[in-house]
Amino acid sequence: MLDDASGTLAQWITSRAPQGIHVTGHSQGGAQAQVLSAVMSDRDVPIASVTTFNPAGISRDVGNLANPSLIGAVEHRVSAGDIVSLAGRTYLDGDVVIYDLDTIDLSSPWALWSHILTAHVDQWSREGLYDLTSGYSTPVAPTPRSGEPVVVAG
């Protein structure tokens, strides 16, 4: 089934983005971004770039599918202490940027667990990420939590 679906997806991507697509994901989506990039590059589909945020890792078998000559810049951004990034066996080869969140209160064990739970649940509970009225034509940026860095890409 994966072969049938990936063949159709490969055709769709190459017909619309012959120079490659930019793939990104957070947490489990970061693992899925790596899997997509590895599988598509194995099918001679160029990947312009891969950017992940606190990604789970992927299996070595899938990682070995990746064709580095068809994958552009790869960057994994990982916050120190993120438990999700410990999952999996490998990552796509690329740069790893580790940053420390100075907003984590380590004064008690509950504070750390509270941060871990909030960091993931809060991302999915932000209404701005799911603005279906815009027709996906206008990027919607969520409001950062207190202490979060704000990065504007232009």
Side-chain angles (χ1 to χ4, degrees):
M1 182 169 185
L2 176 60
D3 287 337
D4 292 341
S6 66
T8 302
L9 182 58
Q11 291 172 356
W12 187 86
I13 292 171
T14 53
S15 70
R16 288 166 176 76
Q19 281 73 39
I21 59 172
H22 300 276
V23 184
T24 188
H26 167 257
S27 193
Q28 180 62 34
Q32 293 167 343
Q34 294 175 82
V35 169
L36 173 72
S37 300
V39 170
M40 289 297 105
S41 70
D42 183 54
R43 286 159 176 73
D44 296 322
V45 175
I47 303 297
S49 69
V50 181
T51 306
T52 65
F53 301 90
N54 294 335
I58 57 177
S59 73
R60 286 190 181 102
D61 290 341
V62 171
N64 289 336
L65 291 175
N67 180 345
S69 68
L70 290 175
I71 300 176
V74 176
E75 182 176 86
H76 304 288
R77 301 184 69 78
V78 179
S79 61
D82 180 63
I83 196 166
V84 172
S85 298
L86 299 175
R89 297 288 184 190
T90 191
Y91 295 92
L92 286 183
D93 286 340
D95 294 331
V96 177
V97 177
I98 298 177
Y99 58 95
D100 191 10
L101 293 176
D102 58 2
T103 59
I104 301 174
D105 176 10
L106 298 177
S107 63
S108 74
W110 170 246
L112 177 60
W113 283 111
S114 175
H115 167 75
I116 291 169
L117 293 173
T118 303
H120 280 80
V121 174
D122 185 49
Q123 297 297 324
W124 300 319
S125 65
R126 294 181 186 194
E127 291 180 20
L129 293 175
Y130 307 101
D131 181 4
L132 302 179
T133 61
S134 71
Y136 303 107
S137 61
T138 306
V140 178
T143 305
R145 292 186 302 258
S146 175
E148 264 187 339
V150 177
V151 178
V152 178

